[in-house]
Amino acid sequence: MYHSWLDRWDERRARRGEEGKKTTDFILDADRAFPGAGKIASVEEFCVLADQAVADPAFFDEPSESDQGFERTEGWLKFPSDIATDIAANNVVWAKITESGSFDRAMVIFHHWNASARNRQIASFFSRRGITVVEIAMPYHFERSRPGSLHADYMLSSNLGRTIQSIRQGVLDGRKLIHWLKSEGCREISVLGMSLGAWVAGLIAAHDPAVSKASLFLTAGSLADMVWIGRATRSIRDSLEPAIELTDLRRAWGPLNLENYAHSLARPDLDLHVVLAKRDKVVLPALSARFMQRLEDTGARPDILELNCGHYSLAIPPYILLAGLSLKRFLSSTGKSGLRSRSL
């Protein structure tokens, strides 16, 4: 009875999330994804460039290691993004800093797609426990929102190139912030990503050795599959389906597929923590399970917590409390403990 109510609660929340979403044109826009690509006219040509990006270890590298342009004022940090887009507000990165009294340990948070506010409770909880929390605005979110948009439609859409550019921008912004934290004397840096933010956080953890712990909430590997079958992205599938098949979309968005970087996530100096929802209709459990298996096959030993809730109901008690306590234990632990999976 309770779980039936929980499923209905999640569905109502999903319907509210559909407000303002609509079908849009399918666009390749390869030059946004792969600067210098020139005019690409076919899906196959786009996929070839995507295959090359997956094989390129520098695709998510910072274009610059400059610490110039950082401005810190009254709990806020802002700095220029190293990717310039046609939305001026999106080209300035904002981050909210909740200090712990020390920059020795820091956690950078990447919120979910279309988040409307930062999470003061999470920031306060961990800052009281000696971890400085930095909540970064992902592309087209919060202060970086596109004027007139009802949601962050430019970060995830049927424009293949803009989607890659946006997530790559989120990764480079996060790495630039992490570089700044290291320059400020931070010894241990963790990342926490939620849903779409988990893809950004996971890509950062796979490519940046400065990250020692990564916690991924509501994640899977293939962004293409998540969009194609997930509850929150029906309008994007409706836009994609007449123009591209799922097999090609997987290749086109291959640079964003965390499964392609599982070997990097399995590096010995990175600890992984994953929180999944058994009743998730947005990031389906089968997709998450496939990603967990891929991680295990490459030698990663993530600490996995599976909760009997949905994608949205993770945010309500008791599930958010269980997830928070699990994250607290993970951040407090030292060294790898081996694969551990708990189901509640």
Side-chain angles (χ1 to χ4, degrees):
M1 181 71 73
Y2 173 72
H3 289 117
S4 295
W5 173 86
L6 201 66
D7 291 341
R8 292 194 298 272
W9 190 93
D10 264 271
E11 177 59 22
R12 288 194 299 271
R13 175 61 183 79
R15 289 176 183 172
R16 288 200 303 273
E18 287 180 330
E19 296 174 4
K21 294 180 182 178
K22 57 185 179 181
T23 57
T24 55
D25 293 336
F26 171 79
I27 302 173
L28 291 176
D29 227 350
D31 200 49
R32 290 188 191 274
F34 316 110
K39 187 171 179 59
I40 297 298
S42 72
V43 169
E44 175 59 26
E45 290 176 293
F46 190 103
C47 288
V48 169
L49 292 175
D51 292 341
Q52 294 171 357
V54 172
D56 180 5
F59 185 69
F60 288 106
D61 280 357
E62 295 174 273
S64 132
E65 293 189 356
S66 171
D67 288 333
Q68 301 301 312
F70 283 83
E71 299 178 26
R72 185 178 176 187
T73 309
E74 297 180 352
W76 289 91
L77 181 71
K78 74 172 183 175
F79 58 93
S81 175
D82 285 333
I83 290 183
T85 68
D86 48 3
I87 304 300
N90 182 54
N91 298 334
V92 179
V93 186
W94 289 81
K96 180 74 173 69
I97 301 176
T98 305
E99 294 192 44
S100 64
S102 167
F103 254 37
D104 190 52
R105 301 172 66 201
M107 177 171 65
V108 182
I109 297 181
F110 300 83
H111 296 86
H112 60 85
W113 186 40
N114 299 319
S116 58
R118 292 176 171 85
N119 198 309
R120 182 175 55 83
Q121 292 86 356
I122 290 178
S124 177
F125 179 84
F126 285 102
S127 67
R128 290 197 303 269
R129 287 157 178 81
I131 301 174
T132 292
V133 177
V134 187
E135 299 175 90
I136 190 171
M138 292 201 301
Y140 306 105
H141 286 74
F142 304 150
E143 301 82 11
R144 307 175 68 178
S145 296
R146 180 170 67 88
S149 63
L150 297 177
H151 68 289
D153 55 342
Y154 270 23
M155 185 162 189
L156 185 62
S157 72
S158 58
N159 184 320
L160 300 188
R162 193 192 297 275
T163 296
I164 291 178
Q165 180 195 55
S166 299
I167 294 180
R168 181 169 175 262
Q169 183 179 33
V171 172
L172 298 187
D173 294 341
R175 295 196 64 186
K176 190 170 183 176
L177 171 59
I178 288 167
H179 182 82
W180 178 83
L181 287 168
K182 292 292 286 187
S183 73
E184 292 291 303
C186 189
R187 178 183 57 83
E188 181 181 301
I189 297 175
S190 307
V191 292
L192 166 62
M194 306 170 184
S195 194
L196 185 60
W199 265 267
V200 176
L203 288 167
I204 291 172
H207 290 85
D208 200 321
V211 175
S212 57
K213 293 177 182 285
S215 180
L216 310 178
F217 281 29
L218 306 172
T219 192
S222 172
L223 188 71
D225 283 271
M226 186 278 282
V227 167
W228 198 264
I229 62 178
R231 177 66 181 85
T233 48
R234 289 178 178 175
S235 63
I236 299 179
R237 175 175 176 169
D238 289 344
S239 303
L240 291 167
E241 198 164 14
I244 188 172
E245 295 183 355
L246 177 56
T247 51
D248 288 329
L249 184 64
R250 287 172 178 150
R251 277 187 70 197
W253 281 349
L256 311 180
N257 187 343
L258 291 176
E259 292 177 21
N260 288 329
Y261 309 102
H263 62 286
S264 298
L265 290 168
R267 58 185 168 88
D269 56 346
L270 176 67
D271 293 332
L272 288 175
H273 173 251
V274 179
V275 176
L276 303 173
K278 296 180 184 179
R279 315 179 80 83
D280 201 332
K281 299 296 191 296
V282 175
V283 182
L284 269 63
L287 295 181
S288 299
R290 190 175 77 190
F291 180 37
M292 295 303 102
Q293 185 61 55
R294 174 72 176 136
L295 288 173
E296 185 177 354
D297 290 345
T298 55
R301 293 294 181 263
D303 182 346
I304 304 169
L305 174 64
E306 293 182 275
L307 298 172
N308 197 13
C309 63
H311 193 87
Y312 302 105
S313 50
L314 176 65
I316 63 176
Y319 307 109
I320 191 60
L321 301 176
L322 294 169
L325 291 173
S326 177
L327 176 59
K328 175 181 175 292
R329 285 193 295 269
F330 170 70
L331 294 177
S332 300
S333 66
T334 57
K336 289 183 179 292
S337 59
L339 181 68
R340 182 172 62 172
S341 181
R342 288 161 292 141
S343 182
L344 298 173

